[in-house]
Amino acid sequence: MRLLLVEDDPDLADGLAAALGRAGFSVDRVADGKSATDALEAQPYDLMLLDLGLPRMDGFEVLRSARARKLTVPVLILTARDALEDRVHGLDLGADDYLTKPFELAELEARARALIRRSAGNPAPDVRVGELTIDIKTRTARHRGEPVNLSPRDFAVLEILAAKPGHVVAKDRLVNSISTWDKDFSENSAEVYVHRLRKKLGPLGIEIVTMRGFGYLIRVAPQ
Amino acid sequence: MSRAPSLRRGLLARLAIPLLALIVADAGLSYVFALRFANSAYDHWLIDSARSLAAQVKAEGGQATLRLPREALEVFEWDERDRIVYKVSSVTGELIIGQRSLAVPEPSRELQHPAFFEGEFEREPIRGVVIRAKPSGIREPIVIAVAETLHKRKSLAADILAIVLVPQVLLLLAAALLIWSGITAGLRSLVQVSLDLARKDHRDLSPVPMRDVPQEVQPIIARTNELFGRLEEALHAQRKFIADAAHQLRTPLSALKLQLESLERERLPEEIRGRIASLKNAGGRAIHLAQQLLTLARAEPEFDPQRSFADVDLVSVARDTGERWIPKALEAGVELVLDAPDSPVRLTGDPTLLSELVSNLIDNALRHGRDTRTITVRISGTPRPSLAVEDAGPGIPPQAKDRVFDRFYRADAGSGEGTGLGLAIVKEIVSAHGGTVSIETRPQFAGTRVLAVFPAVAPTVRRER
């Protein structure tokens, strides 16, 4: 996966290039907007990491000219600006995602992979929670290779909770997503299904935590 | 204060002292004139008396004699207030009748022509008239003098003086009163100005209104307003500098963090890993501090946070922000609870700042609410939109309660964590939204509870925009 890193701060660029290189990306570095435009012209990239405050031509300008030339390369903006209007402006100009400095390396890697995956037309890979693998296409789940017995409703609940392991899913979001195809699914039955799923996953070392007022969260049960 | 020159007293002194001198001079002059007037009034009587005495002088054998019945003499000498004395004598000085001891000057050569004199009789000042008369049948003319003491005259002069002086003194008093009240009225607008100034808080450097201020005072206020303007600019530049500096710190701090994170993934001896961990911890705190400074600068009035105000649902802000804290709370073994109504709680505000508000309160509760099992974020829409974050921790010491909202104040200074800016940011954000923030702690509340109350949204006003 070829990645164009546009960042004028040499320390940050060094660190990013080294870390992303280790993570399996091949990284081309440029330090100003003009060189970024030239690099995009010269060859296709799977992803561009773009700083906004750049010499010679700022990040917004690079983005505008790339989109004007119909380049569809996914763009992840990295910037010290976190004002809402900057963020909206960047996304309006055709950026795909936005990370504010300082960011976690792990988050950058995850977002970079997600953007590349999405642009490759494969938005939903297998989802894992601990040793539980969830296959969206076949709508089955396996634990250490063994199939787990789940009803279609159980699976629907699991699919939504597991999309962001460790993050909370609001109850009304859960109800809304499932009731679009299952009219009988209501706020009360959500609790019933979460309870059932919890009983099935508990022995596998996976827990569903109720966060009062927020919703549910799936995670590997602490030892 | 009392040593400072007073406009009122100064003006009064300048007016009253010369006026008073003028009145004293005037009184002296008036008295002289009044006495002359009184003399001329009573002198006629003296002349009449002298002439009627002269008419009574008869010739008896060539000798001038004056025989008056006792009653007539009594009428002549009687007066309510003054003593009247007379003396009739020959030109050669021989007494015919009257008081021998009355000293009489030489009369006029002309017959019947009065000459006035002043002197003393029996140790009392007197004024008298002397005439020369020549009754028929008498060879030699005679000299007749009539004099009286001065009581009537002085009292008339005093009456006249009073009539002249009393209005003048009244005029002086009236002028003083008018000046006093005039200046007081003129200064009243200054009192308004000083109230306007007193009402300002330390950040309000807006100009003082110039309306109703006397022209003479306007330059002072204009200069004061100019000074405010320059101060405002300087303050603004300073705060902008803090915001810019915090902002500029982000990129190098990102580089530091990134390098440390990638270093962590290397195979390294345990001792080096420990050092990297503490470097990472220090870097993390620097990043947090820079972020807090930036948030603080943004919530301050100089940054005009109100320009990005919009219609916000406090419940979704609390939910979205709270969600981001759940992993950290779980890691700390704390249950984060959201207690909010099902319907939105609307207020006018900046969603980014409100999210920072919630973040700082949760962060604060996680840091200081040691051993708390739960942290509750409580939202209510009635009677006004409010947000409270509660923990069941040890609470804060009473002496720290008033200071926790101060910048860089830390109730538990030894703990090393935290920037000391969290609650200062909370206060700044709440006041940017026109709300109030308060803190409750043990023993009133079983833990610590920070409550922010916002003004209710006026539903019609916002639509105009």
Side-chain angles (χ1 to χ4, degrees):
Chain A
M1 283 174 290
R2 203 169 186 90
L3 192 151
L4 178 62
L5 171 61
V6 191
E7 169 62 64
D8 64 322
D9 183 85
D11 292 336
L12 185 56
D14 276 354
L16 274 174
L20 292 168
R22 254 194 312 272
F25 296 93
S26 71
V27 182
D28 287 354
R29 281 172 57 182
V30 291
D32 66 83
K34 190 73 188 51
S35 315
T37 311
D38 294 347
L40 285 176
E41 198 76 5
Q43 71 157 86
Y45 284 96
D46 295 305
L47 178 70
M48 172 162 68
L49 298 181
L50 180 62
D51 181 25
L52 284 183
L54 291 170
R56 290 173 78 194
M57 186 179 185
D58 86 357
F60 287 135
E61 217 32 63
V62 174
L63 187 56
R64 205 195 318 266
S65 91
R67 292 308 185 222
R69 281 177 290 145
K70 307 272 183 253
L71 294 177
T72 55
V73 55
V75 175
L76 172 54
I77 291 179
L78 299 179
T79 182
R81 303 183 204 172
D82 63 357
L84 190 64
E85 54 261 46
D86 277 352
R87 217 174 303 178
V88 170
H89 188 50
L91 296 176
D92 278 351
L93 283 178
D96 298 271
D97 206 350
Y98 200 106
L99 258 185
T100 306
K101 294 172 187 175
F103 42 79
E104 304 275 335
L105 184 54
E107 178 156 23
L108 174 67
E109 285 176 12
R111 294 219 198 176
R113 279 185 213 288
L115 283 181
I116 293 170
R117 209 161 52 221
R118 220 186 295 157
S119 76
N122 181 18
D126 285 355
V127 177
R128 298 180 64 96
V129 182
E131 288 183 276
L132 185 71
T133 312
I134 301 150
D135 185 335
I136 307 295
K137 281 187 200 123
T138 60
R139 308 196 72 70
T140 51
R142 288 170 178 275
H143 181 256
R144 293 180 182 168
E146 294 294 310
V148 181
N149 180 23
L150 295 173
S151 74
R153 275 187 179 177
D154 289 339
F155 188 85
V157 172
L158 176 61
E159 181 189 358
I160 289 163
L161 292 182
K164 278 176 116 186
H167 285 83
V168 74
V169 175
K171 198 199 238 177
D172 56 351
R173 221 192 90 211
L174 186 68
V175 173
N176 285 343
S177 326
I178 297 177
S179 59
T180 49
W181 53 269
D182 183 350
K183 300 284 177 245
D184 295 334
F185 198 85
S186 68
E187 192 124 336
N188 290 335
S189 53
E191 261 165 54
V192 175
Y193 278 92
V194 167
H195 182 69
R196 268 175 56 173
L197 191 58
R198 189 179 273 148
K199 281 212 315 213
K200 285 183 181 174
L201 298 183
L204 308 178
I206 306 232
E207 66 174 7
I208 298 172
V209 186
T210 304
M211 302 299 303
R212 281 187 280 158
F214 289 102
Y216 304 105
L217 170 149
I218 194 165
R219 65 168 180 175
V220 177
Q223 296 308 304
Chain B
M1 278 308 278
S2 61
R3 294 273 171 104
S6 153
L7 268 184
R8 253 182 234 156
R9 262 174 278 149
L11 240 129
L12 272 184
R14 278 176 191 218
L15 177 90
I17 292 171
L19 265 186
L20 211 63
L22 205 68
I23 286 177
V24 168
D26 190 39
L29 215 60
S30 298
Y31 189 68
V32 170
F33 281 110
L35 211 54
R36 188 173 290 177
F37 178 71
N39 279 343
S40 81
Y42 289 109
D43 284 354
H44 277 292
W45 181 86
L46 281 180
I47 297 169
D48 286 349
S49 304
R51 284 183 183 156
S52 54
L53 263 185
Q56 299 299 318
V57 175
K58 302 277 184 295
E60 250 174 52
Q63 288 288 311
T65 52
L66 178 63
R67 287 188 211 284
L68 283 173
R70 196 181 151 75
E71 290 80 9
L73 263 181
E74 269 172 11
V75 168
F76 179 79
E77 285 185 334
W78 185 88
D79 187 277
E80 208 173 327
R81 301 180 64 186
D82 281 303
R83 181 157 177 216
I84 295 165
V85 289
Y86 63 95
K87 181 178 177 187
V88 180
S89 55
S90 67
V91 238
T92 52
E94 277 167 68
L95 179 73
I96 299 168
I97 193 167
Q99 298 287 344
R100 187 184 297 275
S101 60
L102 180 65
V104 175
E106 192 69 14
S108 169
R109 290 247 152 248
E110 225 175 302
L111 284 177
Q112 299 290 347
H113 189 81
F116 293 98
F117 65 92
E118 265 155 33
E120 233 178 47
F121 180 76
E122 290 180 355
R123 292 204 192 134
E124 263 201 276
I126 51 160
R127 181 175 168 87
V129 71
V130 56
I131 56 172
R132 192 190 289 264
K134 194 164 177 290
S136 50
I138 295 168
R139 270 171 285 126
E140 291 292 306
I142 52 168
V143 173
I144 300 143
V146 181
E148 64 180 350
T149 54
L150 302 180
H151 300 298
K152 279 202 298 288
R153 292 160 194 261
K154 286 195 171 157
S155 134
L156 179 61
D159 285 352
I160 293 170
L161 186 66
I163 288 166
V164 176
L165 269 189
V166 165
Q168 283 186 359
V169 170
L170 286 178
L171 192 71
L172 177 67
L173 288 177
L177 205 71
L178 283 175
I179 286 174
W180 188 271
S181 71
I183 292 177
T184 305
L187 292 179
R188 196 164 299 140
S189 58
L190 285 187
V191 172
Q192 186 53 49
V193 170
S194 83
L195 281 180
D196 283 348
L197 283 172
R199 221 174 283 131
K200 285 174 167 295
D201 72 14
H202 65 291
R203 288 220 196 92
D204 180 6
L205 292 175
S206 60
V208 177
M210 203 69 113
R211 60 187 152 73
D212 300 338
V213 173
Q215 275 178 14
E216 292 82 351
V217 182
Q218 280 183 7
I220 300 175
I221 295 174
R223 295 299 95 77
T224 310
N225 284 344
E226 279 170 26
L227 176 65
F228 280 167
R230 289 197 297 274
L231 263 177
E232 171 112 62
E233 261 169 47
L235 267 179
H236 189 79
Q238 197 199 348
R239 295 200 199 276
K240 190 168 179 311
F241 174 77
I242 294 174
D244 287 349
H247 196 93
Q248 295 298 331
L249 274 172
R250 282 182 163 187
T251 300
L253 287 172
S254 300
L256 178 71
K257 184 178 161 84
L258 192 71
Q259 295 284 12
L260 288 169
E261 278 175 5
S262 32
L263 209 53
E264 246 183 351
R265 298 183 180 186
E266 304 279 343
R267 284 179 183 281
L268 292 169
E270 214 35 57
E271 193 212 331
I272 304 287
R273 297 197 85 81
R275 291 198 194 166
I276 290 174
S278 48
L279 272 177
K280 228 185 121 189
N281 186 36
R285 280 166 52 199
I287 286 168
H288 183 57
L289 178 58
Q291 180 58 41
Q292 294 284 71
L293 282 173
L294 195 57
T295 307
L296 190 57
R298 282 196 184 145
E300 283 176 333
E302 285 76 12
F303 213 83
D304 197 11
Q306 287 81 6
R307 79 197 146 144
S308 53
F309 273 17
D311 199 9
V312 183
D313 172 19
L314 196 53
V315 176
S316 29
V317 170
R319 172 168 291 129
D320 294 348
T321 313
E323 274 178 22
R324 282 193 268 123
W325 282 91
I326 284 174
K328 210 163 187 181
L330 288 175
E331 204 180 295
V334 171
E335 188 193 2
L336 190 61
V337 178
L338 176 69
D339 181 358
D342 290 331
S343 52
V345 170
R346 299 255 158 237
L347 63 86
T348 305
D350 178 330
T352 315
L353 286 179
L354 289 171
S355 169
E356 286 290 345
L357 169 70
V358 177
S359 268
N360 274 288
L361 287 175
I362 296 174
D363 188 26
N364 198 62
L366 276 172
R367 281 179 202 277
H368 301 294
R370 286 180 296 271
D371 338 310
T372 188
R373 306 305 306 161
T374 46
I375 291 174
T376 305
V377 180
R378 210 180 289 284
I379 309 283
S380 168
T382 49
R384 285 187 289 156
S386 70
L387 180 148
V389 174
E390 306 167 356
D391 68 54
I396 44 173
Q399 71 272 16
K401 202 182 153 196
D402 295 331
R403 300 193 53 201
V404 289
F405 291 106
D406 292 354
R407 292 172 185 195
F408 295 112
Y409 177 77
R410 283 156 48 186
D412 43 1
S415 74
E417 288 293 320
T419 59
L421 285 176
L423 286 178
I425 289 173
V426 164
K427 188 180 175 192
E428 206 65 58
I429 292 176
V430 174
S431 77
H433 287 81
T436 53
V437 64
S438 57
I439 191 160
E440 259 183 283
T441 186
R442 291 175 190 277
Q444 291 80 20
F445 183 82
T448 304
R449 166 189 159 94
V450 183
L451 171 70
V453 181
F454 299 95
V457 185
T460 46
V461 181
R462 300 295 307 175
R463 301 250 164 83
E464 303 293 320
R465 289 225 172 157

